[in-house]
Amino acid sequence: ELKVEQNPLFLSMQEGKNYTIYCNYSTTSDRLYWYRQDPGKSLESLFVLLSNGAVKQEGRLMASLDTKARLSTLHITAAVHDLSATYFCAVVGSGGSNYKLTFGKGTLLTVNP
Amino acid sequence: EAGVTQSPTHLIKTRGQQATLRCSPISGHTSVYWYQQALGLGLQFLLWYDEGEERNRGNFPPRFSGRQFPNYSSELNVNALELEDSALYLCASSLASGAGGMSYEQYFGPGTRLTVT
């Protein structure tokens, strides 16, 4: 059974600082997603990572994927208050389990002025 | 292009009642997925429908059921509601996903907040 672990689960950081969220998964996967969720809202897709070594950047967020290590990172550069939200990674299973997303528990990010 | 829509936005029910949640996929998408986000349990896969058939379900009791209509919209029914069914229910849609074959990105709707009292 595919398991996805995120850490840290809670992250409080100051504006202007850098930090990284880690996402480990237990078995071979077809693809990996990062989502943002604001309180009471749905999931907003941030990145889709499809292959080993994939790196994608959008604004102050950069995501990467190492399929050999089964590890993805979401790096935050020079954080601003607007980035405060919960971030989830989600992994698609392989083979017969490629129809569903398995989510990490999420990282609640709070950026303080 | 319209995204995934869900109704109602909020639903309040009493324990033991039944709840019906609705989802309309993006035009052209035939696969619909349901996920539950309950406090403390994270996001969990609930059901997958494709071409009108239930293709797979997560680890949920049979009182969670649903169907997919010919226009690919979907309905999730929760019978005999329990307090722990209180959660945000998210629907997602994608192009046809065949288990073991190509998988496509899932696009999420705004969710239905179900509260059971």
Side-chain angles (χ1 to χ4, degrees), chain B residues 53-70:
Chain B
E53 302 279 336
E54 181 182 303
R55 300 298 184 183
N56 219 305
R57 63 185 293 128
N59 189 23
F60 283 84
R63 57 191 187 80
F64 286 84
S65 65
R67 51 182 172 165
Q68 187 177 34
F69 299 99

Side-chain angles (χ1 to χ4, degrees), chain A residues 3-38:
Chain A
K3 294 189 188 303
V4 180
E5 287 190 7
Q6 258 181 266
N7 67 84
L9 298 182
F10 300 93
L11 179 53
S12 180
M13 53 192 299
Q14 284 190 308
E15 281 191 327
K17 299 292 187 183
N18 304 332
Y19 209 81
T20 301
I21 300 170
Y22 297 88
C23 175
N24 288 91
Y25 54 98
S26 61
T27 65
T28 303
S29 172
D30 188 50
R31 59 189 63 190
L32 186 143
Y33 298 85
W34 283 97
Y35 293 94
R36 169 183 171 143
Q37 186 178 41
D38 291 299

Side-chain angles (χ1 to χ4, degrees), chain B residues 27-47:
Chain B
S27 177
H29 286 187
T30 63
S31 277
V32 171
Y33 312 80
W34 289 94
Y35 292 86
Q36 182 199 63
Q37 187 177 26
L39 200 62
L41 294 178
L43 279 148
Q44 297 185 81
F45 167 75
L46 225 170
L47 286 161

Side-chain angles (χ1 to χ4, degrees), chain A residues 22-103:
Chain A
Y22 297 88
C23 175
N24 288 91
Y25 54 98
S26 61
T27 65
T28 303
S29 172
D30 188 50
R31 59 189 63 190
L32 186 143
Y33 298 85
W34 283 97
Y35 293 94
R36 169 183 171 143
Q37 186 178 41
D38 291 299
K41 303 293 186 183
S42 186
L43 300 174
E44 174 190 352
S45 178
L46 296 174
F47 301 108
V48 181
L49 301 170
L50 301 177
S51 60
N52 189 42
V55 177
K56 291 197 173 179
Q57 182 162 7
E58 181 72 36
R60 301 175 187 274
L61 300 178
M62 183 173 71
S64 66
L65 178 62
D66 180 343
T67 57
K68 293 178 183 176
R70 296 177 185 160
L71 170 69
S72 179
T73 60
L74 180 66
H75 187 73
I76 303 153
T77 302
V80 293
H81 179 69
D82 285 352
L83 289 179
S84 296
T86 300
Y87 293 85
F88 292 91
C89 64
V91 178
V92 176
S94 60
S97 297
N98 71 336
Y99 55 87
K100 69 175 181 179
L101 292 167
T102 300
F103 287 85

Side-chain angles (χ1 to χ4, degrees), chain B:
Chain B
E1 180 183 306
V4 178
T5 60
Q6 291 185 246
S7 63
T9 305
H10 295 92
L11 189 57
I12 300 175
K13 292 285 185 179
T14 303
R15 193 169 52 184
Q17 287 187 317
Q18 179 194 35
T20 299
L21 289 64
R22 296 180 177 83
C23 172
S24 291
I26 291 171
S27 177
H29 286 187
T30 63
S31 277
V32 171
Y33 312 80
W34 289 94
Y35 292 86
Q36 182 199 63
Q37 187 177 26
L39 200 62
L41 294 178
L43 279 148
Q44 297 185 81
F45 167 75
L46 225 170
L47 286 161
W48 168 37
Y49 290 95
D50 186 63
E51 295 288 353
E53 302 279 336
E54 181 182 303
R55 300 298 184 183
N56 219 305
R57 63 185 293 128
N59 189 23
F60 283 84
R63 57 191 187 80
F64 286 84
S65 65
R67 51 182 172 165
Q68 187 177 34
F69 299 99
N71 66 353
Y72 303 113
S73 67
S74 177
E75 196 173 86
L76 174 68
N77 295 295
V78 188
N79 294 317
L81 284 164
E82 299 179 2
L83 295 177
E84 51 264 34
D85 297 333
S86 294
L88 179 67
Y89 289 84
L90 294 173
C91 171
S93 75
S94 77
L95 295 171
S97 289
M102 174 70 74
S103 67
Y104 295 95
E105 182 171 2
Q106 297 176 24
Y107 296 82
F108 285 84
T112 292
R113 172 76 60 186
L114 172 64
T115 302
V116 182
T117 62

